[in-house]
Amino acid sequence: MSINLKSLIPVLNAEWTGSDTDIFVDHISIDSRSLQNGPQTLFIALSGANNDAHLYIAELIEKGVQNFAVQYIPENVKGKANFFVVKNTLKALQELAAYYRDLFDFPIIGLTGSNGKTIVKEWLNFLLSPDYNIIRSPKSYNSQVGVPLSVIAINEKHNLGIFEAGISTVNEMVNLEKIIKPNIGVLTNIGSAHDEGFENLTQKINEKLLLFKKSAVIIYQKNELVDKCLLDFSAQYPLENRALFSWSFADASADVFILKKETKNDSTTIKYQYKDEIFNLEIPFSDSASIENAISCLLVLLHFEYDFTIIQNRMEMLYPVEMRLEVKNGIHNCSLIDDSYSSDFQSLKIALDFLESQKKNASKAVILSDIFQSGFSNEELYSKVAQLISDNKINRVIGIGTTISSFQDKFPNSTMFQNTAAFIAEIENLNFNNETILIKGARSFQFEEIVSLLEEKTHETVLEINLDAINHNLNYFKSKLADDVKIMVMVKAFGYGNGGLEIAKLLEHNKVNYLGVAFADEGISLKNGGIKLPIMVLNPESTSFPSIIQYKLEPEIYSIKGLNAFLKIAREKNLKDFPIHIKVDTGMHRLGFEDNTIDELIATLKGNSTVRVQSILSHLATSDDPKHFDFVEKQISLFERLSSKLISELNINPIRHILNTSGISNFPDAQYNMVRLGIGLYGVSNDPAEQKYLENVGTLKSIISQVRTIPAGDSVGYGRRFMADKETKIATIPIGYADGISRLWGNQIGFVTIKNQKAYIVGSVCMDMLMVDVSHIDCKEGDSVIIFGESPTVIEMAEALKTIPYEIMTSISQRVKRVFFR
């Protein structure tokens, strides 16, 4: 894209403040952390409940950004850049995208629904790309922000667009329709996602249909409710010659009637009737969701009047869509970012931003295949890719493919291979060591083989950590805070079992103010991993004080003995104003200065220049239990008195903080200068009403190692604690109490989820294995198993085991591989 700033003033209804409007921008950004921001960037400063990008404008100007859309101009940047001042920057982003969309006139497919949007989009891209130069939403960019960013990526070479639109409540789709303006509408599966945002299913369908106000054809699965909604929709938004193109398993009046479907192993034969003819279609899937998504794609191909032979040949090559970026441990202390199933220019930009936010090692490498469907000439495309690589400070590039190899001269410090096989043949000589490696390739290059070779080998049980869910939960709690309140996030105990360094990097990327750990070695590990945020050590042992000073950690001091010990070492090292955190005991009676020791604390600190009281804190004992809220109020009152006395007597201005996760929600008047977010970040609340607003972060997965059928009377496991009363199918799963699964969860108390069905644990949980009854489940060896996540949740497990979710989460052994994804 290339837009003259002057042309945007009337589009955005903006007040212009700056030196020159005769400037062209070719990049729209909303992320101040992106290394892709530069002189040709128009930065749109979004402002919401959780963050205000206006705060980062000065920093962006220092990095060379000169053009901004803002709701106000901060005092410290007035006269230093060009500004569009608008009433609402999100609205401005959407209006800019709608204006830009109107500059192009080619078919646009718009997808909406509860489930399947991204998969149908990716499959349509695969099915149609031999004949069209396609622009599509990268990943699942379907939100109020994601849709405009997707549309702005259109260029003059594109001749077909595929964009998805997702909404969570009413009055959202009207904005997205103005931006996408699809000629062809596809309504995918309508399920329960975001039900809470709508009064009922009818309202939900009606809102989604608003995307199709100007669509000449609407493709959908026929049923009574959708038909009724479409009838009302067509009456309200009439369009001459609009066609409704339907399919159905049950209604023979549908345009495409599915007569029969037969599944065998991992494939399905669909027998369907279209225009009085009968066809058989083979697709390489057997699950119902994939079958429905494939039928939606079939109708698009039929609408485009493809020959049946082409339809069959292309659809039998459909593939599973990997919709996430994963962070994995690699060989030789490398970290891998696995994006091995797609290679297009827009998703490369996203992946490079993710690489920067998650890099464990200072050295960054990219393994990149030929890029398809860019809309640019090869010369222009690889010039742009080379600039991206340079902007993101990538240390080396490994290109795979004939096209990228021909442009090797554009990539300093690069190695090129004609194909994946040639790369694999040389992999031992490429010396992968202490690097963060982005692996990004088009599906045809089979980069999953590269990931397999570079990935650290561990057993098949993994804990998947959803970084998007962590972002969501962080923003949920941020939205409860006053504007000037800082946030400390607890990453102790290996990030509550989820992984310390990776989560710390995400939190640093999101500009939290402090990290909290229990012991010095946890903080040292984070500092060695490159974390620059201040880190508070909550339970420092006196033997760790020298290391705390060496690594610039900040100790919590909770006793006179501990204070004197730290002061002694600090004086020996000639420290000045070293930050410490004073813990006062307000009723927890675990650690902290009590009321009767405050005077001695003041006397010890008064006049001391070796240390500086960075914060004063205390800890609530019962902030999650309404029965004891009166006790919490007493704690807060005592904290106010003790901390105020310290501030007055020592003439200091420290941060004060007492609220933990449940305190943030239940005691908003006690936020002081900072709060400490713990278990809530990881998707767990003690309040069932609040729990529905949090997203699950960790999913513990394994596989079925073996399936056997035992006769009635046989037993399973140690001690013969399970005796079969009938013929029973048993699946063995390679996870046990050495991995953190409590033995109390066995013997038909606990369950796992296989193929979306409960499978109860039979017999005792072993050290490395457990067995489940799968008599009612059609499963096989190698099938995926959910140990916990959405079902069962850690809350369900904790209730059954009469413990707390913290114990379930922190018990997961570090021999279980953590996989981080977005």
Side-chain angles (χ1 to χ4, degrees):
M1 65 167 292
S2 182
I3 300 178
N4 189 302
L5 290 183
K6 188 174 184 179
S7 67
L8 294 182
I9 297 173
V11 171
L12 305 182
N13 192 26
E15 178 185 330
W16 169 262
T17 299
S19 59
D20 186 7
T21 57
D22 194 23
I23 297 172
F24 284 83
V25 294
D26 59 15
H27 177 52
I28 305 297
S29 175
I30 61 167
D31 187 353
S32 63
R33 301 158 299 192
S34 175
L35 297 181
Q36 296 159 36
N37 295 323
Q40 270 67 57
T41 296
L42 172 60
F43 183 83
I44 300 181
L46 299 183
S47 180
N50 305 319
N51 205 359
D52 184 0
H54 294 77
L55 301 176
Y56 311 121
I57 290 176
E59 178 184 323
L60 285 163
I61 291 174
E62 288 182 9
K63 293 177 179 178
V65 181
Q66 276 294 296
N67 309 298
F68 299 87
V70 298
Q71 291 172 193
Y72 63 91
I73 304 175
E75 286 294 329
N76 62 334
V77 297
K78 285 185 175 178
K80 295 182 179 180
N82 300 318
F83 296 97
F84 294 97
V85 183
V86 298
K87 288 183 179 179
N88 183 298
T89 45
L90 174 58
K91 192 73 175 172
L93 171 63
Q94 293 172 343
E95 288 170 346
L96 168 58
Y99 160 77
Y100 189 72
R101 160 69 178 89
D102 284 340
L103 300 179
F104 300 90
D105 183 21
F106 55 75
I108 298 284
I109 300 172
L111 300 120
T112 191
S114 303
N115 308 297
K117 297 184 292 295
T118 301
I119 292 171
V120 172
K121 177 199 69 190
E122 293 298 319
W123 282 354
L124 285 176
N125 177 67
F126 168 77
L127 294 165
L128 297 169
S129 59
D131 311 302
Y132 294 92
N133 199 346
I134 298 172
I135 175 70
R136 72 192 192 279
S137 312
K139 301 295 179 183
S140 54
Y141 269 39
N142 59 31
S143 67
Q144 299 290 304
V145 172
V147 167
L149 292 177
S150 299
V151 167
I152 286 168
I154 296 173
N155 68 45
E156 291 75 9
K157 301 291 180 61
H158 292 124
N159 56 15
L160 179 67
I162 310 173
F163 298 107
E164 53 177 300
I167 58 172
S168 57
T169 189
V170 298
N171 301 321
E172 290 185 342
M173 190 62 84
V174 64
N175 300 322
L176 304 186
E177 188 278 332
K178 292 175 183 175
I179 300 168
I180 300 175
K181 292 186 181 136
N183 318 95
I184 301 161
V186 179
L187 184 66
T188 63
N189 177 275
I190 298 293
S192 58
H194 299 296
D195 272 357
E196 67 276 6
F198 303 94
E199 292 178 1
N200 50 48
L201 190 57
T202 299
Q203 186 187 55
K204 185 178 186 178
I205 295 170
N206 286 337
E207 286 292 320
K208 290 184 180 293
L209 289 177
L210 292 176
L211 179 62
F212 308 140
K213 286 198 290 188
K214 295 181 178 66
S215 297
V217 60
I218 300 174
I219 293 167
Y220 71 104
Q221 182 178 5
K222 189 176 182 63
N223 67 53
E224 186 176 345
L225 180 56
V226 175
D227 281 338
K228 182 181 183 304
C229 290
L230 275 168
L231 186 65
D232 295 340
F233 170 80
S234 296
Q236 189 172 359
Y237 302 102
L239 187 67
E240 188 176 357
N241 298 323
R242 176 187 284 139
L244 302 181
F245 193 23
S246 64
W247 67 272
S248 177
F249 290 118
D251 190 339
S253 68
D255 298 292
V256 176
F257 180 46
I258 311 301
L259 298 165
K260 191 176 184 180
K261 59 175 182 173
E262 291 182 349
T263 59
K264 185 178 181 181
N265 297 326
D266 290 324
S267 65
T268 301
T269 301
I270 298 171
K271 184 177 183 179
Y272 69 93
Q273 180 177 313
Y274 174 58
K275 291 186 176 179
D276 298 324
E277 289 190 63
I278 306 296
F279 302 91
N280 286 314
L281 179 68
E282 298 278 343
I283 59 171
F285 300 98
S286 58
D287 63 289
S288 58
S290 294
I291 292 170
E292 287 191 14
N293 292 332
I295 294 171
S296 291
C297 293
L298 167 65
L299 265 72
V300 174
L301 296 181
L302 291 172
H303 171 71
F304 276 76
E305 299 184 343
Y306 274 86
D307 176 81
F308 174 76
T309 303
I310 295 176
I311 292 175
Q312 176 59 67
N313 290 341
R314 292 185 187 178
M315 291 196 67
E316 67 185 7
M317 292 191 294
L318 290 177
Y319 51 86
V321 174
E322 185 56 68
M323 294 185 290
R324 61 196 196 181
L325 289 158
E326 290 188 342
V327 183
K328 300 175 178 179
N329 291 329
I331 60 173
H332 309 315
N333 198 37
C334 287
S335 175
L336 310 181
I337 296 177
D338 180 3
D339 194 11
S340 56
Y341 293 97
S342 69
S343 183
D344 60 85
F345 186 66
Q346 287 306 112
S347 65
L348 174 61
K349 295 166 76 172
I350 295 168
L352 286 169
D353 278 341
F354 185 63
L355 166 63
E356 182 61 24
S357 73
Q358 280 297 309
K359 66 177 189 289
K360 282 188 185 178
N361 310 88
S363 181
K364 298 182 289 186
V366 174
I367 301 175
L368 182 65
S369 79
D370 287 347
I371 294 175
F372 303 123
Q373 295 292 313
S374 71
F376 304 113
S377 67
N378 284 336
E379 175 69 30
E380 186 178 6
L381 168 63
Y382 289 101
S383 295
K384 287 178 176 290
V385 172
Q387 188 61 52
L388 273 181
I389 295 293
S390 174
D391 291 343
N392 282 271
K393 298 177 174 60
I394 302 302
N395 300 90
R396 67 164 167 165
V397 175
I398 296 171
I400 300 178
T402 56
T403 308
I404 193 172
S405 295
S406 68
F407 291 95
Q408 182 170 6
D409 61 321
K410 294 185 180 294
F411 299 94
N413 197 23
S414 64
T415 308
M416 298 290 169
F417 298 91
Q418 293 294 303
N419 52 54
T420 303
F423 167 84
I424 290 173
E426 288 293 316
I427 196 168
E428 294 296 330
N429 300 321
L430 292 170
N431 299 318
F432 291 106
N433 259 295
N434 299 299
E435 294 173 278
T436 302
I437 307 167
L438 170 62
I439 303 171
K440 185 159 184 61
R443 185 171 189 83
S444 58
F445 284 85
Q446 298 181 312
F447 272 18
E448 63 269 22
E449 296 180 24
I450 296 175
V451 174
S452 178
L453 290 169
L454 293 180
E455 189 175 4
E456 182 182 57
K457 301 302 180 280
T458 54
H459 73 129
E460 291 171 296
T461 296
V462 299
L463 180 60
E464 293 186 344
I465 309 301
N466 184 341
L467 297 176
D468 284 335
I470 289 180
N471 266 338
H472 169 87
N473 297 336
L474 174 64
N475 286 333
Y476 171 78
F477 286 101
K478 272 186 175 180
S479 70
K480 294 176 174 284
L481 304 180
D483 291 341
D484 57 346
V485 174
K486 303 179 191 299
I487 187 164
M488 174 189 287
V489 180
M490 310 309 297
V491 291
K492 62 181 181 176
F494 196 52
Y496 288 60
N498 292 287
L501 180 58
E502 293 81 2
I503 291 172
K505 284 185 175 297
L506 179 67
L507 296 170
E508 186 168 61
H509 193 64
N510 279 284
K511 301 186 178 182
V512 303
N513 304 97
Y514 259 90
L515 298 178
V517 298
F519 300 105
D521 57 348
E522 295 175 314
I524 292 169
S525 177
L526 295 180
K527 288 293 186 181
N528 284 334
I531 297 299
K532 296 180 174 58
L533 279 176
I535 300 173
M536 177 177 161
V537 183
L538 282 82
N539 306 327
E541 298 149 318
S542 58
T543 54
S544 70
F545 285 160
S547 295
I548 285 175
I549 293 169
Q550 178 185 349
Y551 285 92
K552 295 182 172 57
L553 304 174
E554 302 180 15
E556 174 188 288
I557 302 296
Y558 49 81
S559 69
I560 292 294
K561 179 182 177 183
L563 176 59
N564 285 328
F566 189 81
L567 288 174
K568 181 176 183 293
I569 295 173
R571 281 191 289 265
E572 290 171 357
K573 293 182 177 292
N574 295 315
L575 298 182
K576 184 174 177 60
D577 290 336
F578 193 92
I580 63 173
H581 301 261
I582 299 297
K583 174 83 169 278
V584 296
D585 182 4
T586 57
M588 184 79 158
H589 295 330
R590 191 171 62 178
L591 293 174
F593 290 93
E594 294 181 284
D595 194 354
N596 59 7
T597 63
I598 294 297
D599 288 337
E600 186 178 2
L601 170 63
I602 292 170
T604 306
L605 287 174
K606 188 167 282 189
N608 191 302
S609 61
T610 308
V611 297
R612 179 184 77 254
V613 178
Q614 181 73 2
S615 83
I616 303 170
L617 68 147
S618 189
H619 198 80
L620 299 178
T622 60
S623 60
D624 59 339
D625 189 348
K627 296 196 301 292
H628 297 291
F629 278 2
D630 57 338
F631 182 76
V632 175
E633 296 290 357
K634 290 177 182 176
Q635 281 195 271
I636 293 171
S637 177
L638 181 56
F639 177 69
E640 172 65 28
R641 180 168 64 82
L642 296 181
S643 61
S644 295
K645 184 175 182 179
L646 285 167
I647 290 169
S648 174
E649 294 284 340
L650 296 173
N651 191 27
I652 56 177
N653 185 30
I655 299 167
R656 288 194 283 179
H657 48 114
I658 190 171
L659 297 185
N660 53 7
T661 294
S662 50
I664 293 171
S665 297
N666 294 327
F667 296 92
D669 293 336
Q671 292 178 5
Y672 287 97
N673 313 105
M674 187 162 73
V675 298
R676 301 188 301 272
L677 177 61
I679 193 75
L681 181 77
Y682 306 99
V684 176
S685 171
N686 293 302
D687 181 358
E690 183 174 72
Q691 183 63 47
K692 67 182 182 181
Y693 295 107
L694 302 181
E695 292 185 359
N696 178 66
V697 168
T699 300
L700 183 59
K701 286 184 174 181
S702 192
I703 64 163
I704 297 175
S705 295
Q706 191 173 30
V707 178
R708 61 167 52 80
T709 300
I710 63 172
D714 273 20
S715 61
V716 174
Y718 287 117
R720 306 192 73 197
R721 290 184 174 86
F722 174 79
M723 303 291 292
D725 58 6
K726 60 181 184 300
E727 185 177 85
T728 306
K729 187 165 66 168
I730 300 294
T732 300
I733 301 162
I735 184 171
Y737 58 76
D739 300 293
I741 306 303
S742 171
R743 292 183 78 248
L744 298 175
W745 190 234
N747 297 309
Q748 296 176 284
I749 292 173
F751 66 91
V752 300
T753 299
I754 301 173
K755 296 285 187 74
N756 295 316
Q757 299 178 72
K758 289 183 179 180
Y760 280 89
I761 300 171
V762 294
S764 299
V765 174
C766 308
M767 181 181 288
D768 308 299
M769 287 172 279
L770 56 82
M771 289 70 72
V772 297
D773 182 354
V774 292
S775 301
H776 57 298
I777 302 173
D778 179 18
C779 59
K780 61 184 184 302
E781 293 170 6
D783 281 349
S784 179
V785 179
I786 305 296
I787 310 299
F788 67 63
E790 297 289 351
S791 178
T793 66
V794 292
I795 295 173
E796 288 177 287
M797 293 179 72
E799 288 174 349
L801 297 174
K802 295 181 171 53
T803 184
I804 55 176
Y806 297 75
E807 184 176 359
I808 305 295
M809 296 165 66
T810 57
S811 294
I812 301 306
S813 166
Q814 291 198 35
R815 82 174 186 179
V816 173
K817 177 173 68 174
R818 271 69 174 175
V819 174
F820 300 84
F821 70 92
R822 294 190 77 163

